[in-house]
Amino acid sequence: MSFTEQQIAEWVGALIDPNTQKSFSAAKAVKAVRIVGDAVEANLELGYPAASQFAGIAGDVEAALRAQGVAQVRVNVGSRIVSHTVQGNVKLLPGVRNIVAVASGKGGVGKSTTAVNLALALAQEGARVGILDADIYGPSLPQMLGLHGERPESEDGKTMLPLRAHGLQANSVGFLVDAEQPMVWRGPMATQALRQLLTETNWDDLDYLVVDMPPGTGDIQLTLAQSVPVTGAVIVTTPQDIALLDARKGLKMFEKVGIPILGIVENMSIHICSNCGHAEPIFGAGGGAKMCADYGVPFLGSLPLDIRIREQTDSGTPTVVADPHGPLAEAYRGIARQVAIAIAEKARDMRFKFPNIVVQNT
């Protein structure tokens, strides 16, 4: 064989990742190239979960190497998720590499539905994922995950084990109180509850913890922004001007506290009649994309106003697991990959890579 391992590594590194539109060498994804006899083996490691894409990427790389004259080739594609930088000097949570806040400026835009399907999509793509219901006054996670009446267990009497559903680790104040009990708490009590849910849950080796934020920009949002290590935020809005006004306030709040915006999701972008198939943008069109252009943040995608999303989520089996091969689930997975890629392109958190230096008298 007239090729060297270095040549093949350079060929592979020059190829473009179809998800990021950047070369594999720029992402430092080429981990090993070996020539064994007449065969070549190349190992790629992506910085984001994309299990549904691995076979396609491997096939593209194999085809490119064969075009260079490599007759026998095998490409292995995997992913590894690491911790990335957060705002200020906030310490990372034990057992959690990255926290993604899903927020909206106002209620009723489908934020919680988007958050739970985003978490499930990340898990389907191969990540270890948890979801925290930070909406202390209106928790919806027990309903959405089909965990009615479940209670977290404790092994030490001090901390909680997250509940598990559809491959997710989950916790919510809704697991701790009766479903019909109103949370008549002032702001300090609600923020303390959020801190306890975050820090007293034994999250088990999570790549991502998705936090479903309450609507608005109040005490709970400020607590999360100032004391919780948030890797980035996703803003959910609908296209109409009223929702966008409040979404802009939420975006500016995260900017002020140094939390990067990973992107904007436009929910309920279009309604398709289940009887005749007529499509109509009943909440307007293009609002989310215009907001992205105004603030220079990524547009993650749009989702339709579809009765199946509501029915599936209400039943405790959200769309991504109810119909994993359908177009709606694929839309959620596409958004999830973009979120994960935006995180992967952030600087890594290196605080735990270096030893502590201690000066002592000797």
Side-chain angles (χ1 to χ4, degrees):
M1 183 176 291
S2 60
F3 312 115
T4 67
E5 292 180 351
Q6 182 176 350
Q7 282 179 308
I8 294 171
E10 289 174 355
W11 289 340
V12 174
L15 297 175
I16 300 300
D17 181 338
N19 293 308
T20 66
Q21 300 304 312
K22 296 180 180 179
S23 70
F24 290 119
S25 62
K28 300 180 180 179
V30 184
K31 296 302 178 184
V33 171
R34 288 187 291 271
I35 297 176
V36 181
D38 293 329
V40 169
E41 181 177 300
N43 295 329
L44 293 177
E45 185 179 83
L46 308 179
Y48 58 93
S52 66
Q53 311 287 300
F54 289 167
I57 291 173
D60 290 344
V61 175
E62 289 172 2
L65 290 179
R66 289 193 181 98
Q68 293 283 1
V70 181
Q72 299 183 52
V73 57
R74 183 176 69 181
V75 177
N76 303 308
V77 182
S79 63
R80 185 171 73 93
I81 315 304
V82 301
S83 299
H84 293 270
T85 53
V86 298
Q87 77 279 25
N89 293 315
V90 182
K91 294 182 179 179
L92 299 182
L93 282 183
V96 180
R97 278 179 276 281
N98 299 284
I99 293 180
V100 179
V102 179
S104 66
K106 65 186 281 121
V109 299
K111 167 188 54 61
S112 295
T113 300
T114 302
V116 74
N117 277 294
L118 172 63
L120 289 165
L122 288 168
Q124 277 192 358
E125 291 289 66
R128 294 179 61 88
V129 185
I131 185 165
L132 176 71
D133 191 347
D135 194 345
I136 303 300
Y137 298 110
S140 55
L141 206 59
Q143 171 89 22
M144 291 183 167
L145 292 180
L147 292 171
H148 282 298
E150 300 288 337
R151 294 287 184 269
E153 296 181 357
S154 176
E155 295 178 330
D156 56 10
K158 298 178 181 178
T159 57
M160 296 172 281
L161 296 174
L163 295 177
R164 295 177 185 259
H166 308 305
L168 298 181
Q169 300 175 39
N171 207 354
S172 167
V173 73
F175 298 143
L176 306 176
V177 300
D178 184 80
E180 297 184 1
Q181 178 181 337
M183 307 305 294
V184 189
W185 289 353
R186 294 189 184 276
M189 291 181 66
T191 56
Q192 180 60 27
L194 173 61
R195 287 193 184 96
Q196 288 181 295
L197 287 170
L198 275 164
T199 62
E200 297 178 13
T201 301
N202 288 328
W203 304 109
D204 182 15
D205 191 30
L206 296 180
D207 295 318
Y208 305 99
L209 175 61
V210 176
V211 180
D212 177 20
M213 299 292 294
T217 55
D219 289 344
I220 291 178
Q221 287 83 352
L222 289 174
T223 295
L224 188 96
Q226 294 172 350
S227 60
V228 176
V230 180
T231 313
V234 173
I235 305 294
V236 180
T237 185
T238 48
Q240 76 267 40
D241 292 342
I242 296 299
L244 289 165
L245 283 173
D246 292 327
R248 291 170 188 266
K249 295 174 185 176
L251 184 148
K252 297 298 289 185
M253 181 202 72
F254 284 114
E255 284 186 343
K256 285 184 177 180
V257 296
I259 294 175
I261 304 298
L262 301 173
I264 293 173
V265 175
E266 185 181 89
N267 201 24
M268 308 181 198
S269 61
I270 194 165
H271 173 257
I272 301 175
C273 178
S274 57
N275 289 323
C276 68
H278 175 67
E280 186 175 18
I282 59 175
F283 292 122
K290 183 179 185 302
M291 181 175 166
C292 290
D294 290 344
Y295 290 97
V297 298
F299 182 62
L300 299 175
S302 58
L303 296 161
L305 179 61
D306 192 302
I307 191 172
R308 291 171 295 176
I309 296 176
R310 195 275 302 165
E311 290 174 340
Q312 291 159 349
T313 305
D314 281 354
S315 71
T317 309
T319 302
V320 170
V321 290
D323 185 16
H325 304 296
L328 294 173
E330 182 53 41
Y332 281 117
R333 280 194 296 273
I335 291 170
R337 279 195 300 273
Q338 289 194 66
V339 169
I341 288 168
I343 292 173
E345 292 178 347
K346 285 170 50 65
R348 296 186 177 187
D349 191 301
M350 305 298 288
R351 286 176 290 179
F352 301 105
K353 301 295 183 183
F354 303 103
N356 292 326
I357 299 175
V358 179
V359 179
Q360 295 178 324
N361 293 326
T362 58

